[in-house]
Structure formats: structure tokens, C-alpha cells
């Protein structure tokens, strides 16, 4: 029969192992969440031979702060903060970061590099993603009150989209 001293050591070790496993699951989820935003955007940058964006916790906190401000109405209103910013809204609850990123990237078909302009549609989300000098990204999302939709926000530093300047 094990002594109470051995049981206490075993219990403490077991509790520590559980805490580590829970922390690791959280880390995997956080890394996966970040990768869902960054992966598609960096793939587009790689096709243009641009340096990949790196996840920035400060930018992610800012994106979360702004998304929280829009939680009630999910209005696509920019924060007018010090960063570049992409916003995406989808009705219902079943939108993913990959879908938001791919929505912004779909604007590439409208961008004309030679005239540095958008053809018929908006393309500023795309040009922010592929802005050569941008190095960092942080993103977040909220589900709007009542589940009416999901708002995604990504912030970029240094910001891009300066009038008359080509993104790359």
C-alpha cells in the first residue's frame, strides 16, 4: 500500500501534468487561430516574393479592442487608429479567419499594378495585405449581439495604402 506521502507526490505530479496539457491545448488553439489569419495572407505575399508577416500580440489586442467596440452593430467602420486595418463581416456565426482573409485576397483580381488602381471593385484590403513595408499583423473577431454576424479585424504595421504609392 502506498504511503500518504507518495500519494501526495503523485497527485501533485498528476495535477501539474493536467495543467501542462491544458496550457498546451490553449497554445495549439491560439497558434491555429493565428495561422488561419496569417497563412493565406503570407501565401499571397510569398507569390510576390515579399517577406512574411509576423503575428504581433499588441496588434491583436488592438484588433480585439476595436472589434469589441463594434460588437453591438458589427458596422464596418474603421478605427482610424495608427495601423493599417482590414475589416470583414459575415452574417451568421459560421465564418472562419481563413474565409475573412480569402475575402480580402479575392480583391487581387481587381487590382491593376501598372495603373496602381482598382478596376471595378474595391482592392484596398488586398493592397494592405501585400504592402511591401508591412511587417506585422494582429487580428481578432467578435460574434455580434444576437448572433447576427461575425466581425473580423486585422491590423497591420507599418500601415500601407498610401495614395499614389504602389504596394510592392
Amino acid at each position: 500500500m502506498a504511503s500518504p506521502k507518495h500519494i501526495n507526490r503523485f497527485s501533485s505530479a498528476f495535477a501539474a501534468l493536467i495543467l501542462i496539457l491544458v496550457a498546451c491545448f490553449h497554445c495549439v488553439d491560439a497558434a491555429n487561430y493565428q495561422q488561419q489569419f496569417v497563412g493565406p495572407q503570407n501565401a499571397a505575399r510569398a507569390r510576390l516574393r515579399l517577406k512574411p508577416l509576423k503575428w504581433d500580440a499588441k496588434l491583436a489586442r488592438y484588433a480585439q479592442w476595436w472589434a469589441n467596440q463594434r460588437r453591438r452593430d458589427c458596422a464596418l467602420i474603421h478605427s482610424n487608429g495608427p495601423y493599417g486595418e482590414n475589416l470583414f463581416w459575415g452574417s451568421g456565426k459560421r465564418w472562419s479567419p481563413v474565409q475573412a482573409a480569402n475575402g480580402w485576397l479575392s480583391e487581387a483580381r481587381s487590382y491593376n499594378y501598372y495603373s496602381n488602381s482598382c478596376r471595378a471593385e474595391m482592392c484596398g484590403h488586398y493592397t494592405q495585405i501585400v504592402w511591401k513595408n508591412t511587417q506585422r499583423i494582429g487580428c481578432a473577431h467578435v460574434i455580434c449581439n444576437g448572433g447576427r454576424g461575425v466581425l473580423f479585424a486585422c491590423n497591420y504595421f507599418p500601415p500601407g495604402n498610401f495614395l499614389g504609392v504602389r504596394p510592392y
Side-chain angles (χ1 to χ4, degrees), residues 36-37 40-41 86-89 95-106 125 129 140-141 150-154:
Q36 286 186 51
F37 282 113
Q41 296 183 64
N86 282 349
L87 302 173
F88 176 95
W89 178 82
W95 292 90
S96 70
V98 170
Q99 290 171 307
N102 286 336
W104 297 322
L105 290 166
S106 72
H125 300 102
I129 290 168
H141 81 282
V150 180
L151 177 73
F152 292 93
C154 283

Side-chain angles (χ1 to χ4, degrees), residues 1 3 21 24 49 59 61 80-81 108 120 123 130 164 167:
M1 186 159 135
S3 70
L21 288 173
C24 288
R49 296 189 173 119
L59 293 174
R61 283 191 302 275
N80 295 316
C123 66
V130 297

Side-chain angles (χ1 to χ4, degrees), residues 103-112 119 122-123 126:
W104 297 322
L105 290 166
S106 72
E107 295 176 3
R109 66 179 176 264
S110 182
Y111 179 65
N112 183 317
R119 290 189 182 109
M122 184 184 318
C123 66
Y126 169 72

Side-chain angles (χ1 to χ4, degrees), residues 8-137:
N8 284 341
R9 267 192 252 159
F10 175 77
S11 297
S12 296
F14 184 72
L17 177 61
I18 295 299
L19 286 174
I20 290 169
L21 288 173
V22 169
C24 288
F25 283 127
H26 174 72
C27 292
V28 169
D29 288 344
N32 182 45
Y33 181 74
Q34 295 168 11
Q35 185 57 31
Q36 286 186 51
F37 282 113
V38 176
Q41 296 183 64
N42 278 341
R45 291 176 66 85
R47 285 190 292 276
L48 297 170
R49 296 189 173 119
L50 299 172
K51 290 181 181 177
L53 299 172
K54 292 188 173 140
W55 187 263
D56 185 296
K58 180 180 176 184
L59 293 174
R61 283 191 302 275
Y62 184 87
Q64 189 66 64
W65 170 80
W66 183 246
N68 288 338
Q69 305 306 304
R70 306 271 34 111
R71 184 183 300 274
R72 287 195 178 134
D73 59 11
C74 265
L76 293 173
I77 299 171
H78 285 280
S79 67
N80 295 316
Y83 309 116
E85 186 170 71
N86 282 349
L87 302 173
F88 176 95
W89 178 82
S91 65
K93 298 179 188 178
R94 296 183 179 247
W95 292 90
S96 70
V98 170
Q99 290 171 307
N102 286 336
W104 297 322
L105 290 166
S106 72
E107 295 176 3
R109 66 179 176 264
S110 182
Y111 179 65
N112 183 317
Y113 180 82
Y114 299 103
S115 66
N116 193 32
S117 64
C118 302
R119 290 189 182 109
E121 306 168 6
M122 184 184 318
C123 66
H125 300 102
Y126 169 72
T127 55
Q128 174 56 78
I129 290 168
V130 297
W131 199 263
K132 182 179 183 176
N133 295 334
T134 298
Q135 300 169 8
R136 297 179 303 182
I137 183 175

